[in-house]
Amino acid sequence: MKHKSYFLLFVASAALLCVSISSVFAKAPATAKIVFTSSRDNNREIYIMNPDGSGQVRLTHHRADDTFPTWSPTGEQILFASDRDRFPISRDLYLMDPDGKNVRRVFGKSKDRSSAVWSPDGKQIAYRRREPSGSFIYIATIDGKNEEKIAFGSSPAWSPDGKEIAFLTGWPERMRITILNVKTRKQRVFFPKPVRPSWMTSPAWSPSGNKIVFTWLHQAPLKEFVDTETIYIINRDGTELQQITSDKAPTETSPVWSPQGDTLLYDKADKNNRLQIFKIALGSDVSEQLTDTFIPKVFGDFFQANSSGDWFDPAFALPVAPRPQLSTTQWGEIKTK
């Protein structure tokens, strides 16, 4: 009986070791890949594809709603939100390997968490957590053991130098981008100033850290101009606001930078009024459609067929085994070169 107990302990230990090893040896993609969400089976799942839209492969296979995927700085993990717990929490954060295997929860205790982003060094994440009193920005270590509330808002975006987090505040028609100093926790309203009728989504720092992209709708009354939401870029110091796409086009949302910083991914409604993923090179007025998923009109006149997630390129990635002496600030500088 004693030998049997030792054997069972050995088997359990070996199983845990295999799980640990599979995580350690998860390989980043060897070529550039875009991770995104698609509803092509009337259930949102995580997919990857090449930057030209080819090679679309499904990663998650679960009846739950899997959304908001984002690459780790090394490309070895994908962080995403899912409602796999179903009750009583609507969704929480999960990690998986780039091939969709080894799915595991970030936190031991479920809360309503989503819209997560990585810190530049890959050691922390920032995310939105919904509570009875509203939506808040939290940061936590990637092992889920240390969680801290830092601001009221949503849609966090961590700057490449690791010093600031941009996020949205001011619902529902006074939205603005606020920037928080990670070290001091001080906040400042970044844009627009003064606040005007405004609806915004998805602020994101450029890889160099000198610009922020976002979508903006600012014609009153907002509900009569909802189709004019479009993409803007502004300098880090708040100067040189630039409209990237025409507000005469269908609704555009969720912009994402390419690792080189010269191209944007974004969502735009197609001829069937379904969101598809497009990309546009900065300085160009011609966009390229990457997805063309047909979704039956079972959810009304507007439905998310595909949604841009994150763009990874091993040529611009954090080294797989970063040196302890390589600070977040140093990495932000290296990444832009």
Side-chain angles (χ1 to χ4, degrees):
M1 190 70 181
K2 184 176 181 180
H3 292 294
K4 184 178 180 180
S5 298
Y6 283 141
F7 175 75
L8 292 175
L9 180 61
F10 170 78
V11 171
S13 299
L16 290 173
L17 181 61
C18 287
V19 170
S20 177
I21 289 175
S22 67
S23 177
V24 170
F25 288 97
K27 292 184 178 180
T31 59
K33 296 289 182 182
I34 292 169
V35 64
F36 65 102
T37 302
S38 180
S39 303
R40 59 194 64 184
D41 297 315
N42 284 336
N43 178 52
R44 290 195 289 184
E45 301 278 4
I46 308 299
Y47 288 71
I48 59 171
M49 64 180 171
N50 298 322
D52 62 0
S54 65
Q56 297 184 22
V57 177
R58 181 174 170 178
L59 297 183
T60 58
H61 297 79
H62 199 284
R63 65 181 182 275
D65 194 43
D66 297 332
T67 59
F68 300 110
T70 179
W71 293 102
S72 67
T74 63
E76 295 174 295
Q77 299 181 88
I78 296 172
L79 180 67
F80 67 101
S82 177
D83 62 353
R84 296 175 183 223
D85 287 343
R86 295 289 179 175
F87 183 83
I89 305 301
S90 60
R91 62 183 137 188
D92 207 343
L93 299 178
Y94 290 77
L95 287 164
M96 65 179 171
D97 295 344
D99 59 3
K101 297 178 181 179
N102 193 26
V103 177
R104 64 272 190 200
R105 285 174 51 177
V106 174
F107 297 93
K109 186 176 181 180
S110 291
K111 297 292 181 182
D112 190 346
R113 305 177 179 95
S114 62
S115 304
V117 293
W118 297 78
S119 64
D121 61 8
K123 296 179 180 179
Q124 293 179 291
I125 54 175
Y127 50 92
R128 178 185 68 178
R129 177 170 149 179
R130 286 183 177 177
E131 300 177 357
S133 57
S135 291
F136 295 87
I137 304 298
Y138 277 73
I139 58 174
T141 51
I142 192 57
D143 60 9
K145 293 181 179 179
N146 299 294
E147 185 178 32
E148 179 186 0
K149 182 189 295 187
I150 59 172
F152 179 80
S154 66
S155 300
W158 215 310
S159 65
D161 62 10
K163 295 180 179 180
E164 297 177 310
I165 294 175
F167 60 98
L168 295 177
T169 57
W171 299 276
E173 296 186 355
R174 293 291 187 272
M175 295 185 74
R176 57 191 179 271
I177 300 173
T178 297
I179 292 181
L180 175 139
N181 184 298
V182 175
K183 184 177 181 179
T184 66
R185 298 294 195 265
K186 290 184 178 180
Q187 301 180 30
R188 61 184 174 91
V189 175
F190 175 68
F191 183 84
K193 296 188 239 182
V195 175
R196 65 180 87 177
S198 181
W199 170 262
M200 311 179 83
T201 66
S202 310
W205 299 87
S206 64
S208 63
N210 64 343
K211 297 178 182 294
I212 293 178
V213 66
F214 57 96
T215 63
W216 192 27
L217 169 62
H218 53 88
Q219 300 187 61
L222 295 180
K223 63 182 180 179
E224 294 184 10
F225 293 92
V226 66
D227 291 338
T228 65
E229 181 181 355
T230 191
I231 300 171
Y232 290 81
I233 289 177
I234 192 169
N235 289 342
R236 184 178 185 138
D237 61 5
T239 63
E240 296 186 21
L241 178 67
Q242 178 185 5
Q243 185 173 342
I244 302 302
T245 53
S246 172
D247 55 15
K248 294 181 181 179
T251 298
E252 297 167 334
T253 186
S254 304
V256 174
W257 293 90
S258 68
Q260 299 92 331
D262 58 358
T263 303
L264 294 173
L265 290 181
Y266 61 97
D267 298 343
K268 182 169 72 172
D270 64 13
K271 60 183 180 182
N272 296 312
N273 208 26
R274 298 291 183 262
L275 285 180
Q276 304 289 352
I277 300 175
F278 288 73
K279 73 175 181 180
I280 187 169
L282 295 181
S284 170
D285 57 1
V286 179
S287 62
E288 177 184 353
Q289 186 172 341
L290 301 185
T291 62
D292 189 19
T293 304
F294 173 75
I295 302 294
K297 292 188 177 183
V298 295
F299 295 100
D301 291 333
F302 190 83
F303 184 68
Q304 176 189 311
N306 295 279
S307 180
S308 54
D310 198 14
W311 193 332
F312 172 79
D313 189 332
F316 295 84
L318 183 70
V320 172
R323 297 184 300 275
Q325 67 269 27
L326 183 63
S327 70
T328 298
T329 302
Q330 288 174 323
W331 164 238
E333 294 171 351
I334 293 171
K335 189 176 180 182
T336 62
K337 294 182 180 180

